[in-house]
Amino acid sequence: MMFPATMKHLAAVVLEKDADAVADVLLSLGVLHFVDLKSFATEEEGRIEPVHVESRQSRLNETRRRIEALLQLGGYSTDQAPAPDTRRLSSEDIEQIDKQLDRLSAGLQAIRNQQKELQSEILRLQDIERHLSAYGELSSGIQTSSRHTFLQLRTGSLPLQRVEGLSQALDSLPSVMVPAGESEDRRRVILLTLRRNADEVEQMLSRFDWQDSSSPQYPEDLDVKALADVQGRLRHLQNEQEGKNRELKAAVGAKKATLLQQWQAVRLGELFLRVQSNFAHTSRTVLFTGWVPSSRSRETEREIKRVTDGVCYLEWRKAKDATESAVKPVKIPVELKNPRFLKPFEMLVTNFSIPEYGTIDPTPLVAVAYLVMFGLMFADVGHGAVLVLLGLFGTISYRNRGNLFQLSNLVIWCGATSIVSGALFGSYFGMQWLPPLWFNYHGIVSGHPEAGVISSIYDILTLTIYIGITVIAVGMLLNWVNLIGARKWFRLIFDRAGIIGSFLYFSGVWTATYYVQHDYRSLPSAGYLFWLLGVPSLLFLVKAPLEEFLSHRWSGEPGPHPGGARLSPGKVFSYVMDWMLELLEIYTGYLANTLSFMRVAGLGIAHVTLLIAFFQIARMAGGGGYNVISIVILVLGNLLVIALEGLSAGIQSLRLNYYEFFSKYFAGSGIRYNPVSLQSRS
Amino acid sequence: MAGKVQTYAFINAKLRARISNLLPEDFYRSLGKAHSFIEAMNLFHDTPYAELEAVYSRTGDLKMCELALFKREVEIFLEVENYVTGGPLGFVKALTTRYETEALKNVLRLWFERSQRGRNIESKVGYLFREQIHFQIPYDELLNARDMGELAEILGKTPYADLIREHQAEVEERRTLFPLEIAIDRYFYRQLLSAATKLERQDEEIARRLVGVQVDLENVNWVVRFKVYYELTADQAASYLLPRGRVLDPAAVRNAYTAEDPAGSLAQILSTHYGGASISPETTGGQTARLDLIEGLLQEILAHEVHRILGSYPFSIGIILAYFLLKQQELHRIVTLLNASYYGLSTERMEHFI
């Protein structure tokens, strides 16, 4: 947990004929983080050719995206894909899949085209519906002389057997036919069309033996009937359109199982090619190299030997040996091994950077520091419970969405911490339902402190400073551990968070404590100050010249001043300036870092103060008591505090971790361990 | 300085955030490579244009998607008007007039189709944009108008009435809406440049520069149509051209028009002004193809100007113009590629639009 997994470097040579089998086994194992062979290539480099898979990869990639798009049309995701089948796809298989996708696509497009036809009819009906709604009452006919009249109204009759034909012909125009009775073999019809189509309508009517009524009479509810007719037809068409959409989804659904299987097979093919893209080959062999966690090295060796019948060459090296022998700089990948419940905090760490190989994984410490700070800033049982509920909702909604899922888990943790700290400080939605288990935060902020270790705002501020000192101290310790592990002795001594720097810091803490405890009137004696602060400060003066001297000695280069001259005035001046700047940065930096933790108190006080304010507003609204309006104010106020303060506390905790904590030790230039496996994203 | 910061700080932050959300080049390549139109539409699912995919799922109609895009574009730019005041507001309003003129031209074309050519327009009426942008334009009345006189009467309260009256005779004589459409475009640029004069000096310079390149683009676009489709004389062509181009003034275009190789002539002018930008005289494909290349070159020049503005002092009218141009370009590309996909153009031909 505290240290990433140990890595071993593997360089392998297998026969060309075994390349596919080896690629298969590497994919199944999913443990090899490939490295470019050129980083370790020697004089053999000229005879090694990379394996070219780009065009095949591109083809598979395109096919996979098509399958995903078609599944999405049906509302399906690839999460439901079956377990991968080890059979690899041939070119013919892929061509077959592409043809099947083309056929499915064509079928779906035909459905969409049918929707389009319906849409054309819908638009015509919507046009006349708009005019009908705007015109209003029609029983007195339509005023044709006005420019604002867009409708044309006619009454007439036509033979019964021609009614259907006319109705179909009028479908191409915005129109309404309202039956108005029958006589003998003719049907009377009231016809509503648009004025702009007058000529076309006239032509149509003449084809269907239309006769205009000599004395047209319109029922009083003609507009209602006409509108109802149009709206009915519109609803029918829109339902039909929606039905087509469902038909499309059903068409995809019918192919879902096949599509998911094809998707999995294509994805497997892509991953297989991705493994092969890291191979290089000579005339008869295939070479590859990469990193494997030490715990999986035996298994990896066993499997490769199994599929090659032992005809292979595998060279294992320790991480340090491998990087030292590399031709180009090589980074060792980092596999963070944290339990699932710490994954949200691992996300916070990796969002900043990946720790360098061989250094501490600060995830567990970040978890503690983050939650302690959050709890102090956002201490309320009720608010914490709300956060827990929100987090739970988030974990359900974002079950398969990596970072959002982890963020929801983080919210749950923060909520739980707030519940604990709320109980410690006796805050339940801003009220004191139960006595505090530690100290009364609300009481202190509102000016009603109770006796105890923490009984004033000053005490709260002091508490946060002590937390800050602890966090910084832990950071320094981690820095020492990292530097000892890396055998960087010079830095261990002279780093700002090294031995001398840490000694200086704690001397400063002790001095400040002394000053405070003596009522801000006296400092420790000069002797103490000299040894505690002066000597370490002076020691930094030798840092730069010593570093330069040692680096020249280790590199075998001539000393800094060949030819006899020891130190030029310019050099001395630059050493002194470097020293002064370094001291300035150390003193101001550590002071600022420590005082920065007071924001924890500040936000905690703000949290309480806001709640107090809302309670006062609520009492004022209730005329000294509480009524419905007061309750509304309290509910909204609590929600606002949860939103604002929750966000602030989360961000500030993160900031304190990233800046005040990480800056002491975190060497975040690592690369994530990323083996090609069946779980890899394509 | 403080005034400019106050005027543009908010809109600058807002529009830069939106510019960062423009679709990446990869997306257009994917769009161009889509195997079918339905797959192409599905690509919009996880983009800011998810609404397009939703409209297509509901209606199966590409034209409805285009209408949705147009409405969205109008909404976006009308929203920008809410964030500026004074001279900049006047300029932004002038910019958004572009959409009003486009909507008006669409309805006039449909009217012309119906009343002058006797064609059925019912399949196109449903796709008209009917919302008010600046002036109240009664689209239904326009569609029902009997003649151009009535069109002018209907648009009496707008500046477009005079344009219709001025060009009524020519339209009726030549039996084409072309002179009126050009006049509407000229009106747009005239009022835009007039609004630019009300900006502060620096803003005015930026506005003139960018609008000038756009004018050049339009003029180049029109040159080939004048010569090939409308067979206009040089003087006629020159009279239709938009004034105040950045590089291609009407005189230069008139000279190019009458030259044996108009495209080569225009290319020469461009390469003189934009040293390094040139089109090889050996480029094959005839005048149309070469003018396409010039158009492409001007688009690049416009893109270059836009990116230059984005990299310079942020508190100026440039950010608004840059956003307008980039957004218009994005929407234009989307519509072009979707239509290309819908009508089954090959991937190679679509590369041209990507």
Side-chain angles (χ1 to χ4, degrees), chain A residues 47-66:
Chain A
R47 292 199 265 161
I48 297 170
E49 298 281 333
V51 172
H52 291 292
V53 300
E54 293 83 7
S55 65
R56 282 181 289 157
Q57 256 181 334
S58 164
R59 176 102 192 264
L60 284 175
N61 183 270
E62 206 176 295
T63 303
R64 178 179 52 82
R65 285 179 193 277
R66 287 190 72 190

mmCIF file with all atom_site columns, all heavy atoms in Angstrom, chain A residues 47-66:
data_model
loop_
_atom_site.group_PDB
_atom_site.id
_atom_site.type_symbol
_atom_site.label_atom_id
_atom_site.label_alt_id
_atom_site.label_comp_id
_atom_site.label_asym_id
_atom_site.label_entity_id
_atom_site.label_seq_id
_atom_site.pdbx_PDB_ins_code
_atom_site.Cartn_x
_atom_site.Cartn_y
_atom_site.Cartn_z
_atom_site.occupancy
_atom_site.B_iso_or_equiv
_atom_site.pdbx_formal_charge
_atom_site.auth_seq_id
_atom_site.auth_comp_id
_atom_site.auth_asym_id
_atom_site.auth_atom_id
_atom_site.pdbx_PDB_model_num
ATOM 1   N N   . ARG A 1 47 ? 19.208  -4.262  -37.515 1.00 0.00 ? 47 ARG A N   1
ATOM 2   C CA  . ARG A 1 47 ? 18.608  -5.474  -38.064 1.00 0.00 ? 47 ARG A CA  1
ATOM 3   C C   . ARG A 1 47 ? 17.200  -5.719  -37.508 1.00 0.00 ? 47 ARG A C   1
ATOM 4   O O   . ARG A 1 47 ? 16.602  -6.731  -37.809 1.00 0.00 ? 47 ARG A O   1
ATOM 5   C CB  . ARG A 1 47 ? 19.488  -6.676  -37.742 1.00 0.00 ? 47 ARG A CB  1
ATOM 6   C CG  . ARG A 1 47 ? 20.814  -6.610  -38.512 1.00 0.00 ? 47 ARG A CG  1
ATOM 7   C CD  . ARG A 1 47 ? 21.452  -7.973  -38.558 1.00 0.00 ? 47 ARG A CD  1
ATOM 8   N NE  . ARG A 1 47 ? 22.410  -8.114  -37.477 1.00 0.00 ? 47 ARG A NE  1
ATOM 9   C CZ  . ARG A 1 47 ? 22.869  -9.282  -37.031 1.00 0.00 ? 47 ARG A CZ  1
ATOM 10  N NH1 . ARG A 1 47 ? 22.447  -10.382 -37.532 1.00 0.00 ? 47 ARG A NH1 1
ATOM 11  N NH2 . ARG A 1 47 ? 23.753  -9.320  -36.067 1.00 0.00 ? 47 ARG A NH2 1
ATOM 12  N N   . ILE A 1 48 ? 16.747  -4.814  -36.687 1.00 0.00 ? 48 ILE A N   1
ATOM 13  C CA  . ILE A 1 48 ? 15.439  -5.001  -36.065 1.00 0.00 ? 48 ILE A CA  1
ATOM 14  C C   . ILE A 1 48 ? 14.424  -4.105  -36.764 1.00 0.00 ? 48 ILE A C   1
ATOM 15  O O   . ILE A 1 48 ? 14.646  -2.917  -36.941 1.00 0.00 ? 48 ILE A O   1
ATOM 16  C CB  . ILE A 1 48 ? 15.479  -4.627  -34.565 1.00 0.00 ? 48 ILE A CB  1
ATOM 17  C CG1 . ILE A 1 48 ? 16.444  -5.561  -33.837 1.00 0.00 ? 48 ILE A CG1 1
ATOM 18  C CG2 . ILE A 1 48 ? 14.109  -4.723  -33.929 1.00 0.00 ? 48 ILE A CG2 1
ATOM 19  C CD1 . ILE A 1 48 ? 16.722  -5.121  -32.417 1.00 0.00 ? 48 ILE A CD1 1
ATOM 20  N N   . GLU A 1 49 ? 13.308  -4.716  -37.178 1.00 0.00 ? 49 GLU A N   1
ATOM 21  C CA  . GLU A 1 49 ? 12.236  -3.973  -37.840 1.00 0.00 ? 49 GLU A CA  1
ATOM 22  C C   . GLU A 1 49 ? 10.997  -4.003  -36.970 1.00 0.00 ? 49 GLU A C   1
ATOM 23  O O   . GLU A 1 49 ? 10.664  -5.043  -36.411 1.00 0.00 ? 49 GLU A O   1
ATOM 24  C CB  . GLU A 1 49 ? 11.885  -4.653  -39.172 1.00 0.00 ? 49 GLU A CB  1
ATOM 25  C CG  . GLU A 1 49 ? 12.996  -4.702  -40.185 1.00 0.00 ? 49 GLU A CG  1
ATOM 26  C CD  . GLU A 1 49 ? 13.139  -3.373  -40.895 1.00 0.00 ? 49 GLU A CD  1
ATOM 27  O OE1 . GLU A 1 49 ? 12.109  -2.656  -40.985 1.00 0.00 ? 49 GLU A OE1 1
ATOM 28  O OE2 . GLU A 1 49 ? 14.241  -3.027  -41.306 1.00 0.00 ? 49 GLU A OE2 1
ATOM 29  N N   . PRO A 1 50 ? 10.296  -2.906  -36.877 1.00 0.00 ? 50 PRO A N   1
ATOM 30  C CA  . PRO A 1 50 ? 9.048   -2.959  -36.110 1.00 0.00 ? 50 PRO A CA  1
ATOM 31  C C   . PRO A 1 50 ? 7.988   -3.755  -36.882 1.00 0.00 ? 50 PRO A C   1
ATOM 32  O O   . PRO A 1 50 ? 8.085   -3.893  -38.094 1.00 0.00 ? 50 PRO A O   1
ATOM 33  C CB  . PRO A 1 50 ? 8.640   -1.488  -35.996 1.00 0.00 ? 50 PRO A CB  1
ATOM 34  C CG  . PRO A 1 50 ? 9.316   -0.801  -37.134 1.00 0.00 ? 50 PRO A CG  1
ATOM 35  C CD  . PRO A 1 50 ? 10.545  -1.577  -37.452 1.00 0.00 ? 50 PRO A CD  1
ATOM 36  N N   . VAL A 1 51 ? 7.020   -4.266  -36.166 1.00 0.00 ? 51 VAL A N   1
ATOM 37  C CA  . VAL A 1 51 ? 5.904   -4.969  -36.801 1.00 0.00 ? 51 VAL A CA  1
ATOM 38  C C   . VAL A 1 51 ? 4.847   -3.928  -37.145 1.00 0.00 ? 51 VAL A C   1
ATOM 39  O O   . VAL A 1 51 ? 4.394   -3.164  -36.270 1.00 0.00 ? 51 VAL A O   1
ATOM 40  C CB  . VAL A 1 51 ? 5.317   -6.024  -35.832 1.00 0.00 ? 51 VAL A CB  1
ATOM 41  C CG1 . VAL A 1 51 ? 4.055   -6.629  -36.396 1.00 0.00 ? 51 VAL A CG1 1
ATOM 42  C CG2 . VAL A 1 51 ? 6.360   -7.099  -35.548 1.00 0.00 ? 51 VAL A CG2 1
ATOM 43  N N   . HIS A 1 52 ? 4.431   -3.893  -38.390 1.00 0.00 ? 52 HIS A N   1
ATOM 44  C CA  . HIS A 1 52 ? 3.471   -2.866  -38.830 1.00 0.00 ? 52 HIS A CA  1
ATOM 45  C C   . HIS A 1 52 ? 2.058   -3.420  -38.803 1.00 0.00 ? 52 HIS A C   1
ATOM 46  O O   . HIS A 1 52 ? 1.736   -4.354  -39.534 1.00 0.00 ? 52 HIS A O   1
ATOM 47  C CB  . HIS A 1 52 ? 3.832   -2.387  -40.237 1.00 0.00 ? 52 HIS A CB  1
ATOM 48  C CG  . HIS A 1 52 ? 5.096   -1.607  -40.286 1.00 0.00 ? 52 HIS A CG  1
ATOM 49  N ND1 . HIS A 1 52 ? 5.206   -0.361  -39.721 1.00 0.00 ? 52 HIS A ND1 1
ATOM 50  C CD2 . HIS A 1 52 ? 6.305   -1.918  -40.802 1.00 0.00 ? 52 HIS A CD2 1
ATOM 51  C CE1 . HIS A 1 52 ? 6.444   0.071   -39.892 1.00 0.00 ? 52 HIS A CE1 1
ATOM 52  N NE2 . HIS A 1 52 ? 7.133   -0.849  -40.540 1.00 0.00 ? 52 HIS A NE2 1
ATOM 53  N N   . VAL A 1 53 ? 1.242   -2.815  -37.964 1.00 0.00 ? 53 VAL A N   1
ATOM 54  C CA  . VAL A 1 53 ? -0.141  -3.279  -37.831 1.00 0.00 ? 53 VAL A CA  1
ATOM 55  C C   . VAL A 1 53 ? -1.139  -2.137  -38.026 1.00 0.00 ? 53 VAL A C   1
ATOM 56  O O   . VAL A 1 53 ? -2.343  -2.310  -37.800 1.00 0.00 ? 53 VAL A O   1
ATOM 57  C CB  . VAL A 1 53 ? -0.379  -3.932  -36.444 1.00 0.00 ? 53 VAL A CB  1
ATOM 58  C CG1 . VAL A 1 53 ? 0.516   -5.124  -36.233 1.00 0.00 ? 53 VAL A CG1 1
ATOM 59  C CG2 . VAL A 1 53 ? -0.155  -2.924  -35.342 1.00 0.00 ? 53 VAL A CG2 1
ATOM 60  N N   . GLU A 1 54 ? -0.644  -0.969  -38.429 1.00 0.00 ? 54 GLU A N   1
ATOM 61  C CA  . GLU A 1 54 ? -1.494  0.228   -38.409 1.00 0.00 ? 54 GLU A CA  1
ATOM 62  C C   . GLU A 1 54 ? -2.745  0.084   -39.258 1.00 0.00 ? 54 GLU A C   1
ATOM 63  O O   . GLU A 1 54 ? -3.841  0.448   -38.834 1.00 0.00 ? 54 GLU A O   1
ATOM 64  C CB  . GLU A 1 54 ? -0.707  1.466   -38.878 1.00 0.00 ? 54 GLU A CB  1
ATOM 65  C CG  . GLU A 1 54 ? 0.403   1.912   -37.943 1.00 0.00 ? 54 GLU A CG  1
ATOM 66  C CD  . GLU A 1 54 ? 1.697   1.143   -38.142 1.00 0.00 ? 54 GLU A CD  1
ATOM 67  O OE1 . GLU A 1 54 ? 1.782   0.343   -39.091 1.00 0.00 ? 54 GLU A OE1 1
ATOM 68  O OE2 . GLU A 1 54 ? 2.625   1.346   -37.347 1.00 0.00 ? 54 GLU A OE2 1
ATOM 69  N N   . SER A 1 55 ? -2.574  -0.449  -40.466 1.00 0.00 ? 55 SER A N   1
ATOM 70  C CA  . SER A 1 55 ? -3.763  -0.469  -41.342 1.00 0.00 ? 55 SER A CA  1
ATOM 71  C C   . SER A 1 55 ? -4.803  -1.458  -40.808 1.00 0.00 ? 55 SER A C   1
ATOM 72  O O   . SER A 1 55 ? -6.011  -1.186  -40.845 1.00 0.00 ? 55 SER A O   1
ATOM 73  C CB  . SER A 1 55 ? -3.374  -0.798  -42.777 1.00 0.00 ? 55 SER A CB  1
ATOM 74  O OG  . SER A 1 55 ? -2.867  -2.097  -42.827 1.00 0.00 ? 55 SER A OG  1
ATOM 75  N N   . ARG A 1 56 ? -4.312  -2.593  -40.283 1.00 0.00 ? 56 ARG A N   1
ATOM 76  C CA  . ARG A 1 56 ? -5.280  -3.554  -39.724 1.00 0.00 ? 56 ARG A CA  1
ATOM 77  C C   . ARG A 1 56 ? -5.945  -2.965  -38.477 1.00 0.00 ? 56 ARG A C   1
ATOM 78  O O   . ARG A 1 56 ? -7.145  -3.155  -38.240 1.00 0.00 ? 56 ARG A O   1
ATOM 79  C CB  . ARG A 1 56 ? -4.576  -4.861  -39.375 1.00 0.00 ? 56 ARG A CB  1
ATOM 80  C CG  . ARG A 1 56 ? -4.280  -5.755  -40.594 1.00 0.00 ? 56 ARG A CG  1
ATOM 81  C CD  . ARG A 1 56 ? -3.601  -7.048  -40.197 1.00 0.00 ? 56 ARG A CD  1
ATOM 82  N NE  . ARG A 1 56 ? -2.229  -6.841  -39.774 1.00 0.00 ? 56 ARG A NE  1
ATOM 83  C CZ  . ARG A 1 56 ? -1.548  -7.678  -38.991 1.00 0.00 ? 56 ARG A CZ  1
ATOM 84  N NH1 . ARG A 1 56 ? -2.117  -8.769  -38.537 1.00 0.00 ? 56 ARG A NH1 1
ATOM 85  N NH2 . ARG A 1 56 ? -0.300  -7.416  -38.659 1.00 0.00 ? 56 ARG A NH2 1
ATOM 86  N N   . GLN A 1 57 ? -5.142  -2.296  -37.685 1.00 0.00 ? 57 GLN A N   1
ATOM 87  C CA  . GLN A 1 57 ? -5.697  -1.687  -36.473 1.00 0.00 ? 57 GLN A CA  1
ATOM 88  C C   . GLN A 1 57 ? -6.755  -0.661  -36.824 1.00 0.00 ? 57 GLN A C   1
ATOM 89  O O   . GLN A 1 57 ? -7.812  -0.588  -36.195 1.00 0.00 ? 57 GLN A O   1
ATOM 90  C CB  . GLN A 1 57 ? -4.579  -0.979  -35.683 1.00 0.00 ? 57 GLN A CB  1
ATOM 91  C CG  . GLN A 1 57 ? -4.115  -1.719  -34.486 1.00 0.00 ? 57 GLN A CG  1
ATOM 92  C CD  . GLN A 1 57 ? -3.042  -0.992  -33.709 1.00 0.00 ? 57 GLN A CD  1
ATOM 93  O OE1 . GLN A 1 57 ? -2.292  -0.174  -34.234 1.00 0.00 ? 57 GLN A OE1 1
ATOM 94  N NE2 . GLN A 1 57 ? -2.963  -1.288  -32.435 1.00 0.00 ? 57 GLN A NE2 1
ATOM 95  N N   . SER A 1 58 ? -6.449  0.139   -37.820 1.00 0.00 ? 58 SER A N   1
ATOM 96  C CA  . SER A 1 58 ? -7.371  1.192   -38.234 1.00 0.00 ? 58 SER A CA  1
ATOM 97  C C   . SER A 1 58 ? -8.686  0.582   -38.710 1.00 0.00 ? 58 SER A C   1
ATOM 98  O O   . SER A 1 58 ? -9.776  1.086   -38.395 1.00 0.00 ? 58 SER A O   1
ATOM 99  C CB  . SER A 1 58 ? -6.685  2.022   -39.321 1.00 0.00 ? 58 SER A CB  1
ATOM 100 O OG  . SER A 1 58 ? -7.605  2.794   -39.984 1.00 0.00 ? 58 SER A OG  1
ATOM 101 N N   . ARG A 1 59 ? -8.592  -0.511  -39.451 1.00 0.00 ? 59 ARG A N   1
ATOM 102 C CA  . ARG A 1 59 ? -9.805  -1.179  -39.958 1.00 0.00 ? 59 ARG A CA  1
ATOM 103 C C   . ARG A 1 59 ? -10.657 -1.676  -38.801 1.00 0.00 ? 59 ARG A C   1
ATOM 104 O O   . ARG A 1 59 ? -11.879 -1.514  -38.783 1.00 0.00 ? 59 ARG A O   1
ATOM 105 C CB  . ARG A 1 59 ? -9.364  -2.322  -40.857 1.00 0.00 ? 59 ARG A CB  1
ATOM 106 C CG  . ARG A 1 59 ? -10.476 -3.195  -41.393 1.00 0.00 ? 59 ARG A CG  1
ATOM 107 C CD  . ARG A 1 59 ? -10.823 -2.868  -42.820 1.00 0.00 ? 59 ARG A CD  1
ATOM 108 N NE  . ARG A 1 59 ? -12.064 -3.522  -43.195 1.00 0.00 ? 59 ARG A NE  1
ATOM 109 C CZ  . ARG A 1 59 ? -12.135 -4.692  -43.827 1.00 0.00 ? 59 ARG A CZ  1
ATOM 110 N NH1 . ARG A 1 59 ? -11.013 -5.334  -44.126 1.00 0.00 ? 59 ARG A NH1 1
ATOM 111 N NH2 . ARG A 1 59 ? -13.295 -5.204  -44.144 1.00 0.00 ? 59 ARG A NH2 1
ATOM 112 N N   . LEU A 1 60 ? -9.992  -2.337  -37.851 1.00 0.00 ? 60 LEU A N   1
ATOM 113 C CA  . LEU A 1 60 ? -10.722 -2.874  -36.701 1.00 0.00 ? 60 LEU A CA  1
ATOM 114 C C   . LEU A 1 60 ? -11.323 -1.758  -35.873 1.00 0.00 ? 60 LEU A C   1
ATOM 115 O O   . LEU A 1 60 ? -12.452 -1.859  -35.380 1.00 0.00 ? 60 LEU A O   1
ATOM 116 C CB  . LEU A 1 60 ? -9.789  -3.721  -35.824 1.00 0.00 ? 60 LEU A CB  1
ATOM 117 C CG  . LEU A 1 60 ? -9.454  -5.101  -36.353 1.00 0.00 ? 60 LEU A CG  1
ATOM 118 C CD1 . LEU A 1 60 ? -8.433  -5.787  -35.443 1.00 0.00 ? 60 LEU A CD1 1
ATOM 119 C CD2 . LEU A 1 60 ? -10.697 -5.960  -36.451 1.00 0.00 ? 60 LEU A CD2 1
ATOM 120 N N   . ASN A 1 61 ? -10.571 -0.687  -35.725 1.00 0.00 ? 61 ASN A N   1
ATOM 121 C CA  . ASN A 1 61 ? -11.042 0.457   -34.950 1.00 0.00 ? 61 ASN A CA  1
ATOM 122 C C   . ASN A 1 61 ? -12.327 1.019   -35.557 1.00 0.00 ? 61 ASN A C   1
ATOM 123 O O   . ASN A 1 61 ? -13.315 1.295   -34.861 1.00 0.00 ? 61 ASN A O   1
ATOM 124 C CB  . ASN A 1 61 ? -9.922  1.519   -34.912 1.00 0.00 ? 61 ASN A CB  1
ATOM 125 C CG  . ASN A 1 61 ? -10.302 2.704   -34.076 1.00 0.00 ? 61 ASN A CG  1
ATOM 126 O OD1 . ASN A 1 61 ? -10.881 3.666   -34.564 1.00 0.00 ? 61 ASN A OD1 1
ATOM 127 N ND2 . ASN A 1 61 ? -9.993  2.653   -32.794 1.00 0.00 ? 61 ASN A ND2 1
ATOM 128 N N   . GLU A 1 62 ? -12.303 1.136   -36.880 1.00 0.00 ? 62 GLU A N   1
ATOM 129 C CA  . GLU A 1 62 ? -13.480 1.680   -37.587 1.00 0.00 ? 62 GLU A CA  1
ATOM 130 C C   . GLU A 1 62 ? -14.683 0.762   -37.408 1.00 0.00 ? 62 GLU A C   1
ATOM 131 O O   . GLU A 1 62 ? -15.799 1.242   -37.141 1.00 0.00 ? 62 GLU A O   1
ATOM 132 C CB  . GLU A 1 62 ? -13.116 1.779   -39.066 1.00 0.00 ? 62 GLU A CB  1
ATOM 133 C CG  . GLU A 1 62 ? -13.888 2.818   -39.833 1.00 0.00 ? 62 GLU A CG  1
ATOM 134 C CD  . GLU A 1 62 ? -13.395 2.907   -41.261 1.00 0.00 ? 62 GLU A CD  1
ATOM 135 O OE1 . GLU A 1 62 ? -12.226 3.310   -41.445 1.00 0.00 ? 62 GLU A OE1 1
ATOM 136 O OE2 . GLU A 1 62 ? -14.182 2.548   -42.140 1.00 0.00 ? 62 GLU A OE2 1
ATOM 137 N N   . THR A 1 63 ? -14.435 -0.533  -37.526 1.00 0.00 ? 63 THR A N   1
ATOM 138 C CA  . THR A 1 63 ? -15.538 -1.496  -37.391 1.00 0.00 ? 63 THR A CA  1
ATOM 139 C C   . THR A 1 63 ? -16.096 -1.451  -35.977 1.00 0.00 ? 63 THR A C   1
ATOM 140 O O   . THR A 1 63 ? -17.318 -1.481  -35.774 1.00 0.00 ? 63 THR A O   1
ATOM 141 C CB  . THR A 1 63 ? -15.051 -2.922  -37.729 1.00 0.00 ? 63 THR A CB  1
ATOM 142 O OG1 . THR A 1 63 ? -14.499 -2.919  -39.041 1.00 0.00 ? 63 THR A OG1 1
ATOM 143 C CG2 . THR A 1 63 ? -16.178 -3.934  -37.656 1.00 0.00 ? 63 THR A CG2 1
ATOM 144 N N   . ARG A 1 64 ? -15.207 -1.372  -34.997 1.00 0.00 ? 64 ARG A N   1
ATOM 145 C CA  . ARG A 1 64 ? -15.672 -1.325  -33.615 1.00 0.00 ? 64 ARG A CA  1
ATOM 146 C C   . ARG A 1 64 ? -16.540 -0.085  -33.373 1.00 0.00 ? 64 ARG A C   1
ATOM 147 O O   . ARG A 1 64 ? -17.585 -0.143  -32.745 1.00 0.00 ? 64 ARG A O   1
ATOM 148 C CB  . ARG A 1 64 ? -14.493 -1.343  -32.648 1.00 0.00 ? 64 ARG A CB  1
ATOM 149 C CG  . ARG A 1 64 ? -14.922 -1.244  -31.188 1.00 0.00 ? 64 ARG A CG  1
ATOM 150 C CD  . ARG A 1 64 ? -13.743 -1.298  -30.240 1.00 0.00 ? 64 ARG A CD  1
ATOM 151 N NE  . ARG A 1 64 ? -12.720 -0.338  -30.575 1.00 0.00 ? 64 ARG A NE  1
ATOM 152 C CZ  . ARG A 1 64 ? -12.743 0.938   -30.236 1.00 0.00 ? 64 ARG A CZ  1
ATOM 153 N NH1 . ARG A 1 64 ? -13.760 1.431   -29.552 1.00 0.00 ? 64 ARG A NH1 1
ATOM 154 N NH2 . ARG A 1 64 ? -11.744 1.729   -30.577 1.00 0.00 ? 64 ARG A NH2 1
ATOM 155 N N   . ARG A 1 65 ? -16.086 1.039   -33.897 1.00 0.00 ? 65 ARG A N   1
ATOM 156 C CA  . ARG A 1 65 ? -16.867 2.277   -33.700 1.00 0.00 ? 65 ARG A CA  1
ATOM 157 C C   . ARG A 1 65 ? -18.234 2.178   -34.360 1.00 0.00 ? 65 ARG A C   1
ATOM 158 O O   . ARG A 1 65 ? -19.231 2.695   -33.851 1.00 0.00 ? 65 ARG A O   1
ATOM 159 C CB  . ARG A 1 65 ? -16.096 3.463   -34.271 1.00 0.00 ? 65 ARG A CB  1
ATOM 160 C CG  . ARG A 1 65 ? -14.940 3.886   -33.419 1.00 0.00 ? 65 ARG A CG  1
ATOM 161 C CD  . ARG A 1 65 ? -14.207 5.061   -34.058 1.00 0.00 ? 65 ARG A CD  1
ATOM 162 N NE  . ARG A 1 65 ? -12.946 5.317   -33.447 1.00 0.00 ? 65 ARG A NE  1
ATOM 163 C CZ  . ARG A 1 65 ? -12.765 6.030   -32.343 1.00 0.00 ? 65 ARG A CZ  1
ATOM 164 N NH1 . ARG A 1 65 ? -13.787 6.558   -31.726 1.00 0.00 ? 65 ARG A NH1 1
ATOM 165 N NH2 . ARG A 1 65 ? -11.560 6.202   -31.839 1.00 0.00 ? 65 ARG A NH2 1
ATOM 166 N N   . ARG A 1 66 ? -18.283 1.514   -35.497 1.00 0.00 ? 66 ARG A N   1
ATOM 167 C CA  . ARG A 1 66 ? -19.580 1.354   -36.183 1.00 0.00 ? 66 ARG A CA  1
ATOM 168 C C   . ARG A 1 66 ? -20.517 0.532   -35.319 1.00 0.00 ? 66 ARG A C   1
ATOM 169 O O   . ARG A 1 66 ? -21.694 0.860   -35.172 1.00 0.00 ? 66 ARG A O   1
ATOM 170 C CB  . ARG A 1 66 ? -19.377 0.641   -37.522 1.00 0.00 ? 66 ARG A CB  1
ATOM 171 C CG  . ARG A 1 66 ? -18.738 1.467   -38.599 1.00 0.00 ? 66 ARG A CG  1
ATOM 172 C CD  . ARG A 1 66 ? -18.817 0.760   -39.913 1.00 0.00 ? 66 ARG A CD  1
ATOM 173 N NE  . ARG A 1 66 ? -20.179 0.759   -40.428 1.00 0.00 ? 66 ARG A NE  1
ATOM 174 C CZ  . ARG A 1 66 ? -20.573 0.039   -41.473 1.00 0.00 ? 66 ARG A CZ  1
ATOM 175 N NH1 . ARG A 1 66 ? -19.722 -0.753  -42.085 1.00 0.00 ? 66 ARG A NH1 1
ATOM 176 N NH2 . ARG A 1 66 ? -21.807 0.098   -41.902 1.00 0.00 ? 66 ARG A NH2 1
#
